[in-house]
Amino acid sequence: MGSPSLLPLETPSPAHICPFDQACSYLEQAARELQMDQGLLLILSNPRKVITVSIPVKLDSGEVQVLAGHRVQHSDVLGPYKGGIRYHPDVTLREVSALAMLMTWKCALLGIPYGGAKGGIALAPARYSAGELERITRRYTSELIKDIGPEVDIPAPDMGTSAREMAWMMDTYSVNVGHAVPGVVTGKPISIGGSRGRELATGRGVMITVREALAERGKSLVGARVVIQGFGNVGSGAALLLHKAGAKILAVSTGSGGIFTEAGLDIPSLKAYTAQNLKSLAGFPGAVPITNAQLLTLPCDVLIPAALENQITEENANQIQASIVAEAANGPVTLIADQALEARGVTVLPDILTNAGGVVVSYLEWVQGLSYVFWDEERVNREMEALMVQAYRQVTEQSKARQIPLRLAAYTLGVGRVAQALTDRGLYP
Ligand code: NAD
């Protein structure tokens, strides 16, 4: 690590791979490629604001628990902080900090006027009732009340959260400031100013990126053999849209394992099946059970990790049989695995490009809210597709021009734009 991190170390990642160190390594690679000034690198290596709050909650049983909630605001050089809220037992301050940094590069890469942030609470949502989750979300929001806002920091859903949590956040913020403020969050229900197309946006962006990558290789989505890890908002959305476009989804999984069929899964039926079976894939007719480890190494054209980080590591990178790995999750391929895949000629479509559809439609939701004019879904999808395709082309052109892998190309574009803006704004005081 060339640049010192000022981030506290008291919440080490449960995995041996520290996501924040990895994020800094990618930043340093981009800085080297761009021959960036060391002072700029030092500024960009550190989040601008790191917030940790206590969230006391009374459970339905009467017991009181205190949870730790984080919000890390990495950069607001290009606009308000923007980033999701994650509810997952493995959430740590360093993970949230890494994801906040990724958001900064992602927004800059897509050319949308936002900075980067991320939030999270270490909890397993399935262990809490809806009422408990509502109390946790509302208290977390009220603890952050001075640090968020439509011109300051705009949360959105991430793992373990959805439109429901965004509605609670919007309501809590609005009640506290005394009037309705729909623009404080994105990814909210359409009834309170959400955008059409937001729910499937990240999955749609994944589908578009994969489609462009296949087209560049003279291939089509029709008949492409696809394997997807994770069947939540992103994984199931990508599965549905890829299936609709003619791809064959051979396998999907959740945290408790996956299912596989050589003939390809009927995704609309599977979505209906999981909706009736508490999100479980088990027992879906015509498919056989498979572990997450087996799923990642299945022979296929496109592997889409859409669950957690650090899923493709030095241990399994050499067994990956896909020719394209599309990072729908944030950070699913470790730094060392990335190099191993690159050496074997496997194309990795980087997270800051592949999963950017969600933040693009969040931006379109914010724009619609600020102008009080709401678009139909067709327009939202069209505007989003234009930004995704433009970013995809810029990344591939940068990769060819500089003879560098797609991830480094994406980082040089994102980091370079933030560095330029920082230089133009100057260092205060
Ligand atoms: P989600 O909570 O809706 O779904 C997560 C899925 O992953 C679930 O199916 C869950 O069962 C599965 N999962 C959990 N642990 C697993 C494990 N150990 N092995 C395999 N599967 C496991 O979350 P999401 O919103 O779909 O987010 C998934 C990823 O996409 C995250 O990395 C998130 O940061 C990223 N992302 C999400 C969005 C968004 O708009 N929701 C946008 C950009 C990036």
Side-chain angles (χ1 to χ4, degrees), residues 119-134:
I121 306 177
L123 63 78
R127 300 232 177 104
Y128 293 84
S129 69
E132 290 166 344
L133 287 171
E134 179 172 354

Side-chain angles (χ1 to χ4, degrees), residues 104-111 352-353 391 394-395 409-410 413-414 417:
T104 303
W105 316 141
K106 191 183 298 183
C107 294
L109 173 63
L110 269 292
I352 61 169
L353 171 67
Q394 288 174 349
V395 169
L413 288 169
R417 287 171 188 166

Side-chain angles (χ1 to χ4, degrees), residues 86 158-160 202 231-234 254-255 292 306-308 328-330 355:
R86 180 176 286 199
D158 190 74
M159 246 183 137
T202 309
F231 202 63
N233 174 283
V234 181
T254 67
N292 264 296
L308 298 171
N330 284 308
N355 68 28

